Amino acid sequence: MADDANPFESLQEQIDDASAYLDVAPDVLNRLKHPERVLETNLTVEMDDGSLEVFRAFRSQFNGDRGPYKGGIRYHPGVTRDEVKALSGWMVYKCAVVDIPYGGGKGGIVVDPKALSDGELERLTRSFAKELRPIIGENRDIPAPDVNTGQREMNWIKDTYETLENTTAPGVITGKAIDSGGSQGRVEATGRSTMLTAREAFDYLGRDLPGASVAVQGFGNAGSVAARLLQEDHDATIVAVSDSSGAVFCPEGFDVAALKEYKNETGSLTGYDGATREMTNEDLLTLDVDLLIPAALENAIDGQLAHDVRADVIVEAANGPLTPDADEVLTEKDVHVFPDILANAGGVTVSYFEWVQNRQRFYWTEERVNEELERRIVEAFEALVDAYEAKELPNFRTAAYVVAIERVVDAYLEGGTWP
Ligand code: GLU
């Protein structure tokens, strides 16, 4: 991580930056800068050797003005209360940008999942599900996958919830396996929205995506799918890709599917013989490319590193990869940044489709999922560009917040204040 900016303060700064262009009373805006509530709990888990270990966990319910709280659960040793609060706030504005009827929430457990056995992970997950049970529900708060969690963890949470509630309620959680009530297209959805945002952005800026050079920081679910779709659907040249082990570079462009296979087999990207050379994550972030996709964690680019960024366009697949200082520098340098709350919103959008399907007990084809996702992302992109032009906003992040905050505030004011 380039620096240790507090993500919660970054979120508040992003809201403040947008507020200058909004006709919203400061007291109304102030309530949009703090979570409604945060659960902090300590999970006691029996380890395989019979010993007990305690893991700290959080669930932040940031704002429910537009619907049930919605957002993923991440497993990472770096999880903090403020990080979870920030991520839950970003979910509020993300759901508003793509206009789906949810508020925002997020959860996290302070754990290195690679250090746990499958059995330990299952007990940890079920223990968290038990703590979450009173505050989640199909109409209340709907978790989903995030960093280091996926279908397996979602299936365990659904099973724990349904067992304790003595009911069936697949819509209590999204990102499940297909046989457990998941949706077609959900696994690919985040990366797909990054590809769609890049496509719309290049079109808007009058640039060509075929042949464009692309660097992708992070090769997890979001980064690897975005890279593959940009290559397969748009002939973009993926010149650099990284994971936590380092970055690989190939000016002629990688075969992303083959690279992914290598990573699945060996556990890392380094050592891949299709690469001309290896480099650091920082080298990758400062490559002279047409498109840079940060797809790892928060704070990848801070104000200092931003001075060295040479990409023309940045599309954020990760949540919060740029600090507010970085935004300021990049805006001055005329680097076009298309923000996380649009560019990775495909995940939660298809989560919404999954929830709708669960509630109707009627399942869609992958084709329908992808078509509806594309429509939502294109409409959101257009709303953002309209605001950017009409209000002469400094950058696309501010535009996204202007659009999103207006929608959340409208819902709040229509409902009024509970005495
Ligand atoms: N964790 C994903 C995100 O940050 C997906 C959330 C969801 O599907 O609810 O957007």
Side-chain angles (χ1 to χ4, degrees), residues 72-203:
I73 295 175
R74 70 171 53 178
Y75 291 0
H76 197 275
V79 164
T80 65
R81 188 182 175 97
D82 271 0
E83 181 197 37
V84 174
K85 279 160 63 177
L87 289 160
S88 68
W90 285 324
M91 287 309 302
V92 176
Y93 302 106
K94 189 185 300 185
C95 293
V97 163
V98 282
D99 206 8
I100 56 177
Y102 289 138
K106 198 75 159 209
I109 305 182
V110 187
V111 61
D112 176 5
K114 292 186 194 92
L116 267 57
S117 70
D118 287 354
E120 289 166 342
L121 272 175
E122 178 169 355
R123 293 194 289 282
L124 175 70
T125 305
R126 289 190 185 275
S127 170
F128 194 30
K130 180 170 75 63
E131 291 301 310
L132 290 174
R133 186 189 59 87
I135 63 163
I136 61 174
E138 288 185 322
N139 294 315
R140 202 172 281 149
D141 182 354
I142 306 144
D146 198 80
V147 174
N148 291 331
T149 60
Q151 293 182 337
R152 183 180 65 162
E153 289 73 19
M154 302 306 111
N155 301 343
W156 287 333
I157 294 174
K158 168 182 172 274
D159 181 67
T160 307
Y161 181 87
E162 290 182 333
T163 304
L164 294 173
E165 291 284 322
N166 189 29
T167 189
T168 54
V172 68
I173 194 148
T174 59
K176 303 175 293 290
I178 301 286
D179 288 332
S180 291
S183 175
Q184 300 290 342
R186 175 63 185 82
V187 173
E188 281 200 347
T190 307
R192 184 170 286 278
S193 61
T194 305
M195 174 275 282
L196 291 167
T197 302
R199 186 192 77 186
E200 294 302 298
F202 270 58
D203 187 44

Side-chain angles (χ1 to χ4, degrees), residues 116-373:
L116 267 57
S117 70
D118 287 354
E120 289 166 342
L121 272 175
E122 178 169 355
R123 293 194 289 282
L124 175 70
T125 305
R126 289 190 185 275
S127 170
F128 194 30
K130 180 170 75 63
E131 291 301 310
L132 290 174
R133 186 189 59 87
I135 63 163
I136 61 174
E138 288 185 322
N139 294 315
R140 202 172 281 149
D141 182 354
I142 306 144
D146 198 80
V147 174
N148 291 331
T149 60
Q151 293 182 337
R152 183 180 65 162
E153 289 73 19
M154 302 306 111
N155 301 343
W156 287 333
I157 294 174
K158 168 182 172 274
D159 181 67
T160 307
Y161 181 87
E162 290 182 333
T163 304
L164 294 173
E165 291 284 322
N166 189 29
T167 189
T168 54
V172 68
I173 194 148
T174 59
K176 303 175 293 290
I178 301 286
D179 288 332
S180 291
S183 175
Q184 300 290 342
R186 175 63 185 82
V187 173
E188 281 200 347
T190 307
R192 184 170 286 278
S193 61
T194 305
M195 174 275 282
L196 291 167
T197 302
R199 186 192 77 186
E200 294 302 298
F202 270 58
D203 187 44
Y204 176 73
L205 298 169
R207 302 178 66 107
D208 284 335
L209 200 46
S213 54
V214 184
V216 183
Q217 184 229 8
F219 206 55
N221 186 38
S224 65
V225 173
R228 183 172 54 76
L229 293 178
L230 281 165
Q231 183 192 37
E232 286 177 1
D233 295 2
H234 297 287
D235 261 336
T237 309
I238 315 299
V239 297
V241 174
S242 71
D243 64 9
S244 50
S245 71
V248 286
F249 179 71
C250 174
E252 289 78 42
F254 287 106
D255 173 343
V256 178
L259 189 57
K260 174 81 181 148
E261 216 167 282
Y262 175 81
K263 159 115 190 173
N264 289 347
E265 273 165 24
T266 65
S268 82
L269 291 170
T270 45
Y272 183 62
D273 61 10
T276 358
R277 65 186 168 99
E278 299 190 354
M279 50 173 60
T280 65
N281 259 278
E282 197 164 303
D283 294 336
L284 178 146
L285 292 167
T286 53
L287 279 174
D288 186 3
V289 285
D290 296 308
L291 171 62
L292 172 64
I293 300 181
L297 293 171
E298 301 93 82
N299 298 345
I301 303 177
D302 64 6
Q304 211 184 336
L305 191 65
H307 286 289
D308 299 328
V309 166
R310 287 181 294 161
D312 298 323
V313 181
I314 297 179
V315 175
E316 297 179 330
N319 289 310
L322 272 54
T323 66
D325 286 353
D327 262 340
E328 212 177 300
V329 173
L330 294 168
T331 300
E332 267 171 36
K333 285 172 57 163
D334 268 337
V335 177
H336 300 289
V337 177
F338 291 86
D340 46 7
I341 59 172
L342 168 72
N344 70 26
V348 74
T349 302
V350 176
S351 276
Y352 167 54
F353 300 159
E354 180 174 333
W355 179 78
V356 168
Q357 294 169 74
N358 289 155
R359 310 208 68 176
Q360 295 187 337
R361 303 293 201 265
F362 181 79
Y363 289 86
W364 303 0
T365 60
E366 185 172 359
E367 197 182 13
R368 175 167 176 196
V369 169
N370 289 344
E371 269 172 27
E372 299 250 4
L373 172 61

